[in-house]
């Protein structure tokens, strides 16, 4: 397998709006990120991924871009950006940008032009039809075709109606996108995280979709369109191949069987993708707010199937949370009695699977979900649209609120908890969204003073990963697939053999298939007293290394 810097790195995702505010307007900014670069360097991450920082009316917090060449004024200026990039590079870290090109904002100049008349030169930058050709629904609720009075026609938007989908069939659109990518790469950015990239090629027969299973619609109708790989190869040829950069595609609707079409090295498309296999395990047929229980055996099956499918040909990104999903410790762990142990246990998983790990801001200190008592405190357009939809249909809003406490995207969008000052040290003003009230207990300052904190455990794990390339490039093999309690696997190659045991429960667990103690040394555990008990304690994680 080819060795690359982006395989050996750890990514840290910054959601700029909620990271650090230096202006006092309650919104994080670029200077705020610059201020915290030493903190990130100390943590040991290599690549910073910034969620969108471009000009945007913020219908979807920057995932609706109105100008790809400008910085959102709330976040700062292009000078701030240049300074940020320089400061990141000075610290030997890298920076990747979010590339959102499935859609723009409806306030983008292209769309404003496009909607003025049927023969405007920008008309074909988007999908317009005189009548909706199908029953498609937006991922955030409501119909995906929006009526526009000006030309008495409908345009397509797979997300909110302020996010019209770009028409990639039009070569002028592709040319504009490539030009914009070059603009950022020429500045020196180190790559892109590509937003919903499997959606850019549409099925032009526009078939009706069956919404009894939303995830199936995504996989079979919205994603993996007929010209997708042609477009990605063109993008690679025209742009990416000319720079030493990495790309990570967000890949909803991509099955393991299709994965190497995106990331197989010989395909010359993307460096890696991140899949949604595990992220959908607790979604019922009605989608993410129709919550169902998930089983560890299913979770492991997802990881195994993906590892096997990628094989030696491609590469993936490993994540357990991001700005679209609940906090890792609240979702997969126990954010109450075993907060610290389970957060560390999940950190061990994140850092020892085969792939490039991504840490979402705040996860390194064990930040948790939040449960606001009323919809008025929520800001996410997905949650608010869902509420409007449920209200219209006369459904039980208390039930939705409970589901939002578990699945809503604002769980991960509350501001970073830096200290126990008012507003958690995030801002001197009124934060754009309320702070999680547990900031007095969970915050960076405290974590830095406690040598046993989750933060230092992440640091230790990242060092272990760097010291032992077998944990990066080595094979992966699961040990006891059926256990609903323990996730155990082996990582190995010519240079080393490692066993990883993770107890995903509040009870003690047997270490089935544990290695011969004489030949192995305990490299790392999340319990302070390193007693080598025969059984794993609740949420215990152990890494053994063959000596
Ligand atoms: C991706 C982003 C999400 C956004 C959506 C539309 O899924 O991660 O935050 O709302 O695309 O751009």
């Amino acid at each position: 397998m080819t060795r690359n810097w982006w395989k050996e790195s750890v990514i840290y995702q910054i959601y700029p709006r909620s990271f650090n505010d230096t202006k006092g307007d309650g919104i994080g900014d670029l200077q705020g990120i610059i201020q915290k670069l030493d903190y990130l360097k100390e943590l040991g991450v290599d690549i910073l991924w910034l969620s969108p920082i471009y000009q945007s009316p913020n219908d979807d917090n920057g995932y609706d871009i109105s100008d790809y060449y400008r910085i959102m004024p709330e976040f700062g200026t292009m000078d701030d950006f240049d300074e940020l990039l320089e400061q990141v590079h000075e610290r030997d870290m890298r920076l990747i940008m979010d590339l959102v090109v499935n859609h723009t904002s409806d306030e983008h100049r292209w769309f404003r032009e496009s909607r003025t008349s049927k023969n405007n030169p920008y008309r074909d930058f988007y999908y317009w039809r005189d009548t909706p050709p199908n029953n498609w629904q937006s991922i955030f609720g409501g119909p995906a075709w929006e009526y526009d009075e000006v030309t008495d026609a409908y345009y397509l938007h797979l997300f909110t109606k302020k996010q019209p989908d770009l028409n990639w069939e039009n070569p002028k659109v592709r040319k504009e996108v490539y030009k914009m990518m070059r603009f950022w790469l020429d500045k020196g950015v180190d790559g892109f995280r590509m937003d919903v990239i499997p959606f850019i090629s549409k099925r032009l027969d526009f078939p009706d979709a069956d919404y009894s299973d939303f995830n199936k619609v995504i996989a079979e109708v919205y994603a993996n369109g007929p010209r997708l790989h042609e477009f990605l190869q063109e993008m690679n040829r025209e742009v990416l191949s000319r720079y030493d950069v990495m790309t990570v595609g967000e890949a909803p609707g991509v099955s393991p069987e299709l994965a190497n079409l995106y990331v197989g090295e010989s395909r010359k498309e993307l460096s890696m993708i991140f899949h949604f296999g595990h992220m959908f395990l607790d979604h019922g047929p009605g989608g993410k707010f129709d919550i169902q229980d998930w089983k560890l055996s299913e979770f492991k099956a997802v990881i195994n199937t993906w590892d096997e499918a990628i094989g030696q040909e491609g590469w993936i990104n490993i994540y357990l949370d991001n700005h679209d999903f609940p906090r890792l410790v609240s979702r997969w762990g126990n954010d109450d009695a075993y907060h610290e142990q389970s957060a560390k246990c999940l950190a061990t998983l994140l850092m020892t699977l085969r792939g490039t790990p991504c840490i979402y801001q705040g996860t390194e200190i064990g930040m948790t979900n939040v449960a606001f008592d009323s919809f008025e405190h929520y800001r996410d357009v997905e949650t608010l649209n869902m509420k409007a939809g449920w209200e219209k249909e006369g459904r039980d809003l208390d039930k939705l609120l409970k589901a939002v406490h578990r699945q809503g995207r604002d769980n991960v969008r509350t501001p970073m908890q830096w200290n126990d000052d008012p507003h958690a040290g995030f801002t001197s003003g009124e934060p754009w969204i309320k702070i999680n009230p547990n900031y007095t207990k969970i915050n960076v300052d405290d974590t830095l003073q406690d040598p046993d904190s989750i933060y230092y455990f992440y640091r230790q794990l990242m060092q272990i990963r760097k010291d032992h390339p077998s944990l990066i490039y080595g094979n992966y093999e699961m040990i006891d697939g059926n256990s609903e309690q323990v996730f155990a696997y082996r990582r190995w190659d010519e240079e080393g053999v490692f066993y990883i045991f993770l107890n995903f429960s509040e009870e003690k667990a047997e270490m089935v298939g544990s290695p011969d103690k004489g030949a192995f040394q305990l490299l790392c555990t999340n319990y302070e007293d390193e007693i080598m008990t025969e059984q794993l304690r609740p949420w215990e994680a152990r890494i053994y290394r063959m000596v």
Side-chain angles (χ1 to χ4, degrees):
M1 169 166 304
T2 325
R3 303 204 161 198
N4 294 99
W5 56 264
W6 40 265
K7 290 179 181 161
E8 293 165 19
S9 299
V10 172
I11 302 175
Y12 184 93
Q13 181 190 355
I14 296 179
Y15 197 69
R17 201 176 183 78
S18 302
F19 192 64
N20 185 29
D21 171 25
T22 57
K23 296 206 293 280
D25 60 358
I27 297 173
D29 46 52
L30 299 185
Q31 285 297 334
I33 301 174
I34 295 173
Q35 246 181 33
K36 300 294 182 184
L37 288 178
D38 288 330
Y39 165 78
L40 297 169
K41 180 68 188 171
E42 280 290 298
L43 173 62
V45 297
D46 310 284
I47 300 170
L48 307 180
W49 150 29
L50 301 186
S51 274
I53 57 167
Y54 316 90
Q55 185 168 299
S56 159
N58 283 305
D59 187 48
D60 187 17
N61 287 354
Y63 283 91
D64 49 320
I65 296 167
S66 52
D67 191 335
Y68 291 101
Y69 295 93
R70 275 171 202 243
I71 303 292
M72 194 188 298
E74 296 94 314
F75 289 177
T77 62
M78 195 57 92
D79 284 344
D80 293 324
F81 176 79
D82 293 338
E83 184 185 339
L84 170 63
L85 185 61
E86 195 187 310
Q87 293 286 322
V88 169
H89 286 161
E90 217 161 79
R91 287 169 180 76
D92 273 332
M93 292 191 287
R94 287 178 160 99
L95 186 109
I96 66 173
M97 303 281 279
D98 221 304
L99 184 78
V100 188
V101 289
N102 172 69
H103 43 269
T104 65
S105 162
D106 65 340
E107 297 181 32
H108 193 287
R109 188 177 57 88
W110 302 335
F111 190 78
R112 284 193 280 117
E113 289 280 339
S114 173
R115 94 192 318 172
T116 55
S117 80
K118 288 191 172 170
N119 43 29
N120 183 283
Y122 287 93
R123 186 69 169 181
D124 284 343
F125 268 50
Y126 298 87
Y127 289 100
W128 288 97
R129 293 290 183 274
D130 288 340
T131 47
N134 59 27
N135 68 346
W136 286 8
Q137 294 290 305
S138 146
I139 288 170
F140 293 153
W145 294 96
E146 178 72 13
Y147 179 67
D148 197 48
E149 268 179 358
V150 188
T151 53
D152 185 26
Y154 294 77
Y155 65 88
L156 176 68
H157 61 92
L158 291 181
F159 294 90
T160 75
K161 60 181 181 210
K162 286 184 68 62
Q163 293 169 299
D165 281 51
L166 279 168
N167 173 12
W168 275 69
E169 301 293 322
N170 181 348
K172 290 192 189 129
V173 166
R174 309 206 296 276
K175 232 172 119 188
E176 285 288 352
V177 170
Y178 303 156
K179 184 175 123 197
M180 177 272 285
M181 290 172 74
R182 280 188 217 106
F183 170 81
W184 290 99
L185 293 171
D186 289 340
K187 270 187 177 291
V189 309
D190 300 288
F192 296 105
R193 172 269 186 191
M194 298 187 181
D195 193 61
V196 293
I197 202 71
F199 292 6
I200 58 173
S201 159
K202 305 290 188 259
R203 290 184 53 173
L204 298 177
D205 55 341
F206 288 112
D208 269 346
D210 169 6
Y211 289 96
S212 59
D213 186 344
F214 209 95
N215 292 336
K216 206 164 158 209
V217 173
I218 292 188
E220 292 174 10
V221 186
Y222 295 175
N224 309 304
R227 296 184 68 192
L228 178 66
H229 295 289
E230 178 195 329
F231 294 157
L232 289 179
Q233 282 171 13
E234 182 183 81
M235 178 195 277
N236 190 295
R237 217 170 37 241
E238 299 283 320
V239 186
L240 298 167
S241 61
R242 302 168 189 213
Y243 303 83
D244 176 23
V245 293
M246 63 154 282
T247 53
V248 44
E250 184 195 28
V254 176
S255 64
E257 297 76 43
L258 296 179
N260 275 336
L261 292 178
Y262 289 78
V263 297
E265 226 177 277
S266 58
R267 302 266 309 167
K268 301 208 181 331
E269 294 189 15
L270 304 177
S271 316
M272 59 184 111
I273 53 171
F274 63 89
H275 67 77
F276 285 68
H278 51 321
M279 288 296 168
F280 288 165
L281 287 178
D282 56 5
H283 293 189
K288 70 193 284 184
F289 297 110
D290 173 22
I291 308 174
Q292 63 184 24
D293 288 338
W294 62 279
K295 281 172 140 180
L296 184 62
S297 56
E298 290 169 354
F299 185 95
K300 293 190 288 191
V302 169
I303 305 284
N304 294 348
T305 313
W306 272 88
D307 188 82
E308 209 170 295
I310 294 287
Q312 299 297 312
E313 256 180 87
W315 196 249
I316 55 168
N317 180 242
I318 307 286
Y319 74 112
L320 296 171
D321 60 2
N322 66 25
H323 68 294
D324 291 329
F325 292 99
R327 286 279 175 190
L328 140 175
V329 68
S330 304
R331 189 182 197 187
W332 313 113
N334 175 327
D335 64 8
D336 190 18
Y338 290 98
H339 173 252
E340 187 181 322
Q341 290 89 339
S342 68
K344 289 178 177 176
C345 184
L346 291 159
T348 311
L349 177 69
L350 191 61
M351 292 299 156
T352 58
L353 287 174
R354 202 165 65 104
T356 299
C358 186
I359 304 173
Y360 179 71
Q361 72 181 37
T363 292
E364 78 278 17
I365 59 165
M367 281 178 63
T368 67
N369 280 355
V370 71
F372 296 138
D373 57 11
S374 140
F375 280 105
E376 83 186 85
H377 302 305
Y378 284 91
R379 297 287 174 266
D380 177 19
V381 67
E382 177 186 62
T383 296
L384 300 178
N385 278 3
M386 217 43 81
K387 185 208 164 213
W390 280 48
E391 216 163 24
K392 216 161 116 199
E393 292 164 22
R395 295 172 72 183
D396 180 356
L397 287 185
D398 286 339
K399 191 171 163 207
L400 180 63
L401 188 61
K402 287 207 179 75
V404 167
H405 291 165
R406 286 182 57 192
Q407 294 284 29
R409 303 195 299 181
D410 283 336
N411 279 312
V412 279
R413 297 177 180 188
T414 62
M416 184 72 185
Q417 295 163 201
W418 296 104
N419 55 41
D420 62 6
D421 292 350
H423 305 316
F426 162 71
T427 179
S428 57
E430 246 338 281
W432 70 276
I433 185 171
K434 277 173 55 154
I435 313 276
N436 188 321
N438 67 16
Y439 74 95
T440 51
K441 283 187 285 176
I442 301 175
N443 62 63
V444 169
D445 266 10
D446 282 359
T447 226
L448 291 178
Q449 276 156 36
D450 171 10
D452 291 319
S453 67
I454 299 167
Y455 171 92
Y456 287 111
F457 196 71
Y458 266 96
R459 214 163 91 157
Q460 183 189 356
L461 287 167
M462 280 185 265
Q463 194 55 50
I464 290 177
R465 190 174 178 274
K466 288 212 164 79
D467 291 345
H468 303 288
S470 316
L471 287 170
I472 299 168
Y473 295 107
N475 299 300
Y476 160 93
E477 184 186 35
M478 192 165 57
I479 295 171
D480 181 8
N482 296 326
S483 167
E484 295 294 356
Q485 219 187 343
V486 178
F487 194 161
Y489 46 97
R490 215 157 69 88
R491 297 291 314 275
W492 85 98
D493 61 11
E494 316 76 59
E495 291 169 39
V497 182
F498 296 82
Y499 277 75
I500 293 103
F501 287 90
L502 311 169
N503 181 359
F504 267 68
S505 80
E506 283 77 42
E507 281 84 50
K508 287 189 174 167
E510 296 302 323
M511 289 209 291
V512 178
S514 70
D516 168 13
K517 300 279 167 356
F520 281 81
Q521 164 205 26
L522 185 65
L523 190 61
C524 174
T525 155
N526 59 347
Y527 270 76
E528 280 158 41
D529 49 21
E530 295 191 1
I531 303 166
M532 297 266 267
T533 49
E534 284 305 311
Q535 287 177 317
L536 295 167
R537 290 162 287 186
W539 290 101
E540 183 163 7
R542 293 184 192 176
I543 306 177
Y544 289 99
R545 170 178 170 236
M546 193 168 83
V547 281

